[in-house]
Amino acid sequence: MKRRMSWTVLAAAGLAACGATIQPAELVIVNARVQTMSDARPTAQALAIRAGRIARVGDDAQVRAMVGPATRVIDAGGATVLPGFIDTHMHPVTSSAQLDDCSAGDKELRVADLAALLVACQATRDPVAGLDWLLVSDLNPAGFKASRQDLDAIEAARPVLLKATDGHSSWLNSRALAAAGITRATPDVADGRIVRDASGDPTGHLIDGAQRLADGAVPVDTLEAKVAALRKALPMLHAAGLTSVMDASVAEAELEVLASLARSGELTLDVTTALEAEADGKVDSLPKLEDQRQRYAGLHNLRVDTAKVFVDGVMEFPTQSAALLEPYTPVEGQGRSDTGNLYVDPEAFGRLATELDRRGFNVHAHAIGDRAVRVALDAFAQARGSLGEASRAKFSISHLQLVDPADWPRFAELEVYASFQLLWAQPDNYATDAVQPFIGPMRSAMMYPARSLLGNGATLVGGSDWNVSSPAPLEAIAVAMDRRDPEQPEKPPLVPMQSVALDVMLRAYTIEAARMLGIDGETGALAEGKQADVIVLDRNLDGADAPAVRAASVRYTFADGKQVHGKPD
């Protein structure tokens, strides 16, 4: 305290001599490697925070001049300081609700492994009220196959529902199918399918939108339980360095959870919501979207300004619902031989994107296959062309597992953000076993083409798709750099020519992500006057390789100037 007091007295004396006054900061961070993400001053040694805002960015002496008797001083020890990380595609409400579910841990399992898992679930989880369901989440779907008869042999008395990690497949036993009312007479839905056996009976495997048939039969958590789950998850997200996210598929139930925390002042994470929209030419989504935007307007840390459109599904066998330009290739007679599923009407999507843009909405598209990516780009091109200079929407496409080279330049031409989940760009069983054999070597050599899009002028932004994968940006950044599986480092990297540099990825999770969400005026960079969303790492990342990034952790996280992660000094 003596050191702080004496420095303040000297600083005040110097300012008094110049006829100036200074208002002390509440917090200063010194002895740091500050990467501001601001072009005006890319690096600094220190910064000061006052009233939830960045009050000064500069060298140690400049910032220490703002130390007063009550100022908290953090010595970063030469470690990197960054703007808070921003995730442009995750599902915080639904993911937090699953944190206490019985989990398969995304491990590669066979049907024979399920018996022990279900026994463990029965022993450690209370039955779901009403129908006594056995629910298991985070099942690795890559190559997994199970029929209702397989599950009946393990558990026939209770409804069993297995949920894939990627959210695009579920498996049910006979009791669960009956509880959901799914029979051979049940028609497929427009955005999914009921897998059937040779006689036309449901096998128990539901893909994409068909899962709603089962989800509707499972007793729903109360609003209070969902709010409590998200409240519990927020510290975990802040520990990963996250201060802003986009909830990438939001219905009324999710809006109510977010709004409840916002109204009580507990929503410490800044959330942009992507509202569910249909582009099938049959449903008019606009009245619902405008109603939701109006009803949830004005809540702190909650924005309702984006629409979400699912263009296709996923590429992994056996789901294979992603839309491709060329057919899948069956392997040993297994798998599809067509081009997959397109869940939008291209003309309707173009009209919808244009009207959403006209009405002040941004548009975020899920597109994994190269055909789906092209359809999304075509829709955005229609909006840009129709509205001309009046087109102001932030357009973005997420996932981008395959992008045809002819479409690489279109991201820059149309100002479409490329929202990659580059934690997936590694040689795990999803990529090497469940995708590459079914698309052949030519397309396999172009998976997750981050560097090619970047080289063609695209703006990359980062996302996790949590809880499909870890929400920790540092983990995804490391994979983006080396394209390796951290659990199997001896395996060759996945398409290493598509790796991108650390500085690109840090921008992808900060200022570029803020621009995509339209919040760059407030956050995404460390500049005087901006919101104090700041993270302090445990080390200096200058010149760091992927293993060093992977080993790094977040020491402190500040959101709106308030500490939301880290030990008090």
Side-chain angles (χ1 to χ4, degrees):
M1 183 59 70
K2 287 183 179 180
R3 182 176 300 173
R4 291 185 185 178
M5 292 283 286
S6 61
W7 186 271
T8 304
V9 169
L10 288 171
L15 287 166
C18 299
T21 59
I22 186 168
Q23 184 177 356
E26 296 158 7
L27 169 70
V28 300
I29 302 171
V30 297
N31 188 22
R33 175 63 174 171
V34 182
Q35 294 184 242
T36 68
M37 303 301 160
S38 170
D39 293 337
R41 183 166 193 165
T43 60
Q45 279 185 308
L47 60 83
I49 295 172
R50 184 174 57 227
R53 296 278 164 177
I54 305 293
R56 182 165 296 177
V57 178
D59 60 32
D60 277 353
Q62 290 172 320
V63 171
R64 282 191 179 275
M66 298 189 69
V67 174
T71 302
R72 178 185 179 190
V73 179
I74 292 178
D75 186 328
T80 293
V81 171
L82 294 162
F85 286 137
I86 302 171
D87 188 311
T88 64
H89 188 106
M90 65 151 49
H91 306 280
V93 177
T94 55
S95 298
S96 60
Q98 293 181 9
L99 284 175
D100 290 330
D101 282 358
C102 186
S103 173
D106 197 37
K107 296 178 181 178
E108 297 181 53
L109 300 177
R110 301 164 300 170
V111 170
D113 301 318
L114 291 175
L117 177 64
L118 291 178
V119 168
C121 290
Q122 287 175 306
T124 59
R125 295 294 189 275
D126 292 332
V128 174
L131 287 178
D132 200 24
W133 285 70
L134 265 176
L135 305 177
V136 178
S137 61
D138 299 324
L139 179 71
N140 189 311
F144 179 81
K145 292 191 296 182
S147 68
R148 68 180 192 280
Q149 293 92 341
D150 292 329
L151 299 182
D152 290 346
I154 299 170
E155 174 59 62
R158 300 171 62 181
V160 174
L161 173 61
L162 312 177
K163 301 283 285 186
T165 304
D166 63 10
H168 288 265
S169 277
S170 296
W171 289 266
L172 291 75
N173 69 353
S174 295
R175 282 292 303 276
L177 285 170
I182 300 172
T183 69
R184 63 183 296 139
T186 305
D188 283 333
V189 296
D191 59 346
R193 71 182 191 271
I194 302 167
V195 179
R196 305 173 194 272
D197 59 25
S199 65
D201 290 320
T203 66
H205 183 193
L206 305 181
I207 292 174
D208 289 331
Q211 296 176 95
R212 291 192 297 269
L213 301 172
D215 293 340
V218 178
V220 179
D221 285 341
T222 64
L223 174 61
E224 292 75 14
K226 293 177 182 178
V227 170
L230 181 56
R231 185 186 293 119
K232 181 179 178 181
L234 289 175
M236 179 188 75
L237 298 176
H238 291 314
L242 290 164
T243 55
S244 300
V245 304
M246 181 161 78
D247 193 325
S249 183
V250 175
E252 189 76 18
E254 288 77 51
L255 277 171
E256 269 302 305
V257 174
L258 293 164
S260 293
L261 282 181
R263 292 179 185 120
S264 66
E266 297 175 274
L267 188 60
T268 52
L269 191 69
D270 184 89
V271 182
T272 296
T273 55
L275 307 174
E276 294 178 352
E278 301 292 338
D280 60 4
K282 301 175 183 177
V283 177
D284 183 0
S285 297
L286 291 169
K288 178 190 71 173
L289 300 178
E290 292 199 310
D291 174 65
Q292 290 173 324
R293 178 169 62 178
Q294 181 178 2
R295 285 189 293 111
Y296 292 95
L299 292 173
H300 180 63
N301 273 352
L302 183 62
R303 272 176 310 284
V304 185
D305 63 2
T306 302
K308 164 69 174 294
V309 177
F310 279 93
V311 186
D312 68 346
V314 295
M315 206 175 299
E316 289 83 14
F317 173 82
T319 307
Q320 293 185 316
S321 55
L324 306 182
L325 291 170
E326 299 295 331
Y328 291 90
T329 302
V331 176
E332 298 178 354
Q334 297 189 84
R336 301 182 73 156
S337 58
D338 59 10
T339 57
N341 297 96
L342 196 62
Y343 293 147
V344 299
D345 175 275
E347 292 185 2
F349 189 11
R351 293 193 300 271
L352 177 65
T354 302
E355 195 57 35
L356 287 167
D357 189 354
R358 190 193 315 276
R359 300 189 190 199
F361 282 94
N362 301 323
V363 186
H364 185 64
H366 164 117
I368 282 187
D370 47 9
R371 183 183 176 209
V373 173
R374 180 166 295 175
V375 166
L377 289 169
D378 288 347
F380 298 153
Q382 183 173 329
R384 298 288 193 222
S386 297
L387 300 180
E389 293 184 0
S391 175
R392 303 292 177 83
K394 305 284 189 179
F395 291 140
S396 56
I397 304 176
S398 196
H399 307 319
L400 303 166
Q401 192 164 2
L402 282 183
V403 183
D404 190 88
D407 292 320
W408 293 346
R410 301 181 70 197
F411 283 80
E413 293 166 2
L414 298 170
E415 298 182 55
V416 176
Y417 291 88
S419 174
F420 277 104
Q421 288 64 52
L422 288 174
L423 186 64
W424 303 348
Q426 58 175 284
D428 57 13
N429 75 309
Y430 286 90
T432 61
D433 300 336
V435 172
Q436 288 185 317
F438 298 92
I439 63 173
M442 293 292 290
R443 289 181 289 185
S444 292
M446 293 189 291
M447 288 176 64
Y448 303 111
R451 189 188 297 184
S452 292
L453 264 64
L454 182 70
N456 279 272
T459 299
L460 307 190
V461 295
S464 64
D465 208 9
W466 182 63
N467 69 344
V468 173
S469 50
S470 166
L474 290 170
E475 295 179 27
I477 290 170
V479 174
M481 294 169 65
D482 68 4
R483 311 275 291 206
R484 290 188 178 276
D485 181 347
E487 296 183 2
Q488 302 179 78
E490 72 285 353
K491 293 182 69 172
L494 181 74
V495 199
M497 67 283 297
Q498 292 295 345
S499 63
V500 290
L502 173 61
D503 63 328
V504 172
M505 292 307 301
L506 291 177
R507 290 183 65 84
Y509 275 98
T510 54
I511 186 59
E512 305 298 4
R515 287 171 177 155
M516 175 189 143
L517 300 183
I519 57 175
D520 50 303
E522 284 288 298
T523 190
L526 302 177
E528 292 172 13
K530 286 189 182 286
Q531 190 168 290
D533 295 336
V534 184
I535 59 175
V536 181
L537 302 187
D538 68 343
R539 68 195 67 201
N540 181 4
L541 289 187
D542 284 359
D545 60 8
V549 173
R550 197 171 277 120
S553 61
V554 177
R555 183 180 167 198
Y556 297 104
T557 302
F558 298 90
D560 283 340
K562 301 179 180 66
Q563 183 173 327
V564 290
H565 166 68
K567 296 180 180 179
D569 289 343

